[in-house]
Amino acid sequence: MNALEEMIARGENTFWAYLGCEFVSADEEKVVIALDAKEHHTNSMGIIHGGVLTSLMDQAMGMAATAAAEQDSCVTTNINVHFMSAMTTGKLIVTAKVIHRAGRSMTTEARIHNGEGTLGCLATATFRIVNRK
């Protein structure tokens, strides 16, 4: 079992499951996860809460970093989020990839699209590979 598979297997009792994340696919270039966004994911305006969207992108980028590092020991050190279009309930697809690697740091990118293909938001983040104790 590789680091990404181990991360998914341990996700049953973590924020991954609480949020409602679903693993879609992964290859050498990208990780894809999804969320069937429901009413409890919305804010008082009836759109998906920005914290939910940010969490989804952080999760997907962390998975991309984990896969690239081939170990489950990457932590977010910085994240920048740009909200483009309001997202509503329904299927949200998150695609993430590593765009730069230097030593123990990786820069990643994620995008969220709704079921119609509308870009809702994008993010970049830096991850650090840490040594577990």
Side-chain angles (χ1 to χ4, degrees):
M1 188 180 302
N2 65 36
L4 190 56
E5 291 169 333
E6 289 175 17
M7 177 187 248
I8 294 166
R10 285 195 317 272
E12 186 175 324
N13 295 314
T14 66
F15 190 64
W16 164 271
Y18 180 78
L19 194 57
C21 296
E22 170 192 343
F23 175 75
V24 176
S25 66
D27 60 29
E28 303 81 33
E29 294 182 22
K30 66 183 179 301
V31 169
V32 181
I33 65 172
L35 174 71
D36 184 12
K38 307 225 183 278
E39 187 176 345
H40 66 268
H41 293 112
T42 63
N43 61 22
S44 60
M45 296 187 310
I47 59 176
I48 304 303
H49 191 284
V52 171
L53 298 171
T54 301
S55 293
L56 284 170
M57 290 186 293
D58 184 37
Q59 179 68 51
M61 290 184 289
M63 293 172 78
T66 294
E70 298 180 350
Q71 58 183 317
D72 186 12
S73 58
C74 298
V75 295
T76 311
T77 60
N78 179 294
I79 189 167
N80 297 294
V81 179
H82 301 273
F83 299 101
M84 316 300 253
S85 299
M87 296 281 100
T88 56
T89 56
K91 191 69 130 183
L92 301 178
I93 305 295
V94 189
T95 304
K97 62 184 177 179
V98 173
I99 57 176
H100 180 72
R101 185 170 181 173
R104 293 180 16 184
S105 294
M106 282 182 261
T107 302
T108 59
E109 176 187 86
R111 296 170 185 255
I112 298 181
H113 292 85
N114 65 13
E116 289 77 46
T118 301
L119 176 62
C121 50
L122 64 91
T124 56
T126 305
F127 286 80
R128 179 102 172 140
I129 301 169
V130 296
N131 295 322
R132 288 186 173 198
K133 295 182 181 183

